[in-house]
Amino acid sequence: MMSRSEYLSARERMLTRIAQTRDAARSGLPHWASTVDGTWTFTPDGDWTGGAFVGELWLAHLADPRRFSIEDAHAALSRMLPRAERLTAFKGFGFYHAGALGSILFADETARAAAMTAARSLRDMFDPRLGLIPLGGDAEEASAVGASESSIDSLQAMGLLYWAADELADARMEEVANAHMRRVLEIHVRPDNSVIQSSTLDPHTGKVLRTHTHKGYSDISTWGRAQGWAMLYTAHAAMVRPKEPLWRDYAVRVLGWWIDHVPADLIAYWDFDDPAIPNTSRDTAATAIAAASALRLASALGPEEGAKYRVFAERTVTQLLKYLTPTVPEDRRPPGILTGGCFTRKAIVRDIDAAENVELIFGSYFLFECLAILTGLLPSGRI
């Protein structure tokens, strides 16, 4: 594992990359970038990923307020606002990191208002027949799935809902968050604690008609990021709802599966069951999510019971930093790029997501969040 000074050095490299991205993103928000020259592919309103960049800007302002202003975060957030009331469960990810973080860290009213609009919309999307918030007609996979589809990815709604429930003392928001969490986990966490990405439900009864994956290798494989989302949001729920042992139990189980199955170097393959392993893509983004999950669970469990998860997070971050471009004259790439991200290798996804060995903005966010915690910039358990 690395020393604090080494983590600080890596944090500074990532701040350099965040500044470069901010200066390049005069319109739109970053989605993924070439690891050859660092050039970004942008989306006009952030798609489901753009909130990760706004989250980076909030954390960057915390680290270096002279180089990164509140206005930088506001400008990026403003491009996301059309998504706040769209029918997609995935906006929970974007508006938690783009909005709730600004409110939590800086009591920023602009950020709070945007996050609240998205949270209320998510609450109202809850379908009592299904027992959960469906993906929604505006979700990025909407063209490939039906109206009664769910996925482990939809746990992205949870962090925003719990935050808003606390802010507003909104019992309905809390009820929806709990019901959605419970139902999604029941459907998508297998008996062995691995995770299947997607499900098709009967729109009238909520009965599960089939489970499948549209981003992993197969309908019986474990796509790395599916396991990642399950780990992240169960650990987050365990952290913000410590009196609910179910979330803690799920978090220990799904993170335990990851620890038992991740390669020895701790960098996950894009899908744990790709028969081409080891000659296939890694996914540093899923791996960064795993590290962030472990830090959340360590905070939830406390210094004694959580110590092994803190150590696992530190070991994982140390390995991830081998994928972070350095600041050396012989490397012409911009420093601070997290290489080795894989959106998916599956052919049915949107063209904009058909990217391997790239920088994924959400992978970079979670690595930067981990570095903020490991360097003491951000107290563990704050976000």
Side-chain angles (χ1 to χ4, degrees), residues 1-283:
M1 290 186 291
M2 293 187 168
S3 65
R4 184 174 183 273
S5 63
E6 288 172 309
Y7 286 140
L8 282 168
S9 175
R11 194 181 88 187
E12 182 56 37
R13 269 185 283 160
M14 294 201 76
L15 283 169
T16 299
R17 176 62 170 162
I18 293 167
Q20 182 191 56
T21 303
R22 174 201 60 195
D23 295 343
R26 293 305 180 188
S27 62
L29 290 159
H31 195 53
W32 61 265
S34 164
T35 53
V36 175
D37 60 10
T39 300
W40 284 102
T41 292
F42 293 99
T43 61
D45 63 0
D47 203 81
W48 72 266
T49 60
F53 177 59
V54 189
E56 283 192 326
L57 290 171
W58 290 121
L59 293 180
H61 177 68
L62 191 66
D64 191 344
R66 289 181 297 178
R67 194 174 9 161
F68 300 94
S69 68
I70 289 285
E71 287 69 30
D72 290 333
H74 283 175
L77 173 59
S78 69
R79 297 167 204 153
M80 290 179 55
L81 295 181
R83 295 183 59 80
E85 295 187 87
R86 289 189 187 152
L87 298 180
T88 168
F90 303 149
K91 67 188 174 190
F93 173 83
F95 283 94
Y96 179 79
H97 296 288
L101 254 65
S103 179
I104 293 166
L105 297 176
F106 304 108
D108 187 89
E109 284 300 321
T110 299
R112 186 181 188 277
M116 283 298 176
T117 298
R120 291 186 177 102
S121 176
L122 280 171
R123 177 195 61 197
D124 295 343
M125 283 177 63
F126 183 80
D127 187 333
R129 295 168 302 175
L130 305 180
L132 49 72
I133 299 168
L135 296 190
D138 296 324
E140 280 62 43
E141 280 87 33
S143 62
V145 301
S148 300
E149 287 284 316
S150 183
S151 78
I152 198 71
D153 311 43
S154 73
L155 287 184
Q156 293 174 0
M158 181 279 302
L160 186 64
L161 288 171
Y162 277 141
W163 167 80
D166 288 342
E167 287 286 299
L168 300 173
D170 186 325
R172 177 58 180 163
M173 197 86 73
E174 182 83 15
E175 179 185 318
V176 166
N178 288 335
H180 179 69
M181 276 282 291
R182 187 176 295 107
R183 181 72 169 137
V184 171
L185 292 169
E186 286 173 354
I187 294 170
H188 298 97
V189 178
R190 299 177 178 122
D192 70 350
N193 300 318
S194 67
V195 175
I196 181 69
Q197 184 191 4
S198 302
S199 60
T200 303
L201 310 181
D202 184 298
H204 304 293
T205 67
K207 179 182 177 181
V208 179
L209 301 178
R210 68 171 183 136
T211 56
H212 61 105
T213 177
H214 50 274
K215 287 188 177 177
Y217 177 77
S218 77
D219 289 350
I220 59 171
S221 69
T222 302
W223 177 49
R225 212 151 66 239
Q227 196 77 23
W229 295 134
M231 294 188 298
L232 183 73
Y233 290 108
T234 54
H236 190 94
M239 186 177 72
V240 300
R241 293 296 182 269
K243 294 182 179 179
E244 176 47 80
L246 182 61
W247 308 148
R248 189 165 59 249
D249 175 65
Y250 266 114
V252 168
R253 287 163 49 196
V254 294
L255 188 54
W257 188 94
W258 179 283
I259 292 170
D260 289 343
H261 291 82
V262 75
D265 65 2
L266 303 184
I267 306 298
Y269 291 99
W270 77 287
D271 190 296
F272 281 83
D273 299 295
D274 185 344
I277 291 172
N279 301 312
T280 192
S281 298
R282 301 287 187 131
D283 188 7

